[in-house]
Amino acid sequence: VFAMLVFPSFQPEFSVSIVLAKDQKHYDVVYSKPQTAIWKWKSFPDGHEELDLSAPVVVDREAVEIDSAIVQRIVSVVGSVLNRTRYPEEPMDGLDGVVYEFTDGVRWGSTWSPDAGAAAEMVRMGSLLKDFALSSKDQRETCKKKIYEALHKLEAAGEKS
């Protein structure tokens, strides 16, 4: 129902997502990170480079149950923000930084190293979901409170855009 894919320039990629659990009775926040970068480039003597997908990739994964009330709120707010996604006429590409991609399973949006606005708030919320997935059981209520606060800020930022 939600995914944030993260592509840092000099570190392995990772994702955080909310999925319906295998038992289809609850949702899980899932944090996945490969042990090595998936997007590897191979250089050749003539100077050209090609994407090297030949090496097997081991992915570490953490999954933690999350209640459906917060999931419904995330789906509502993220869907609203993604509905308003627009891309600039001039690309905002850079050599360094981080590319973030978001989806609610229907709509997609992406941004490059945002520092303010709805895109930055989406990144913040995704980062808090990652923290939730990696947190100990006694830290999860605090994490959920921060996620609700981030959703409120995201909703406000989305209304301004």
Side-chain angles (χ1 to χ4, degrees):
V1 296
F2 169 81
M4 178 176 81
L5 309 172
V6 183
F7 304 93
S9 292
F10 304 106
Q11 299 171 8
E13 307 84 345
F14 69 88
S15 70
V16 62
S17 55
I18 299 174
V19 298
L20 187 60
K22 288 181 183 178
D23 66 7
Q24 298 194 355
K25 295 181 181 179
H26 69 274
Y27 291 94
D28 287 334
V29 175
V30 180
Y31 170 68
S32 302
K33 183 174 183 175
Q35 292 180 359
T36 59
I38 294 171
W39 292 94
K40 297 180 209 162
W41 294 92
K42 189 183 335 182
S43 298
F44 290 88
D46 66 2
H48 84 279
E49 293 183 337
E50 291 180 11
L51 188 58
D52 179 10
L53 297 174
S54 62
V57 177
V58 177
V59 178
D60 294 326
R61 185 175 182 270
E62 295 289 334
V64 176
E65 185 175 338
I66 190 166
D67 61 83
S68 61
I70 196 167
V71 171
Q72 290 171 356
R73 180 94 166 101
I74 290 167
V75 167
S76 173
V77 174
V78 167
S80 178
V81 171
L82 289 176
N83 269 337
R84 290 189 294 275
T85 298
R86 302 293 178 265
Y87 294 94
E89 288 187 27
E90 294 295 320
M92 296 175 57
D93 295 333
L95 297 177
D96 297 338
V98 182
V99 173
Y100 298 89
E101 294 182 359
F102 305 93
T103 184
D104 64 358
V106 177
R107 296 159 288 246
W108 283 84
S110 66
T111 189
W112 175 73
S113 297
D115 56 2
E121 293 301 330
M122 286 279 279
V123 169
R124 182 171 175 266
M125 189 204 55
S127 296
L128 290 168
L129 285 167
K130 173 186 160 187
D131 294 347
F132 181 84
L134 296 173
S135 67
S136 64
K137 196 170 187 169
D138 61 325
Q139 297 172 320
R140 292 194 189 127
E141 282 305 312
T142 301
C143 287
K144 281 189 348 187
K145 191 180 290 186
K146 289 178 181 179
I147 292 168
Y148 273 115
E149 291 169 3
L151 285 167
H152 181 70
K153 287 183 179 179
L154 177 55
E155 198 167 41
E159 290 171 358
K160 292 177 187 174
S161 60

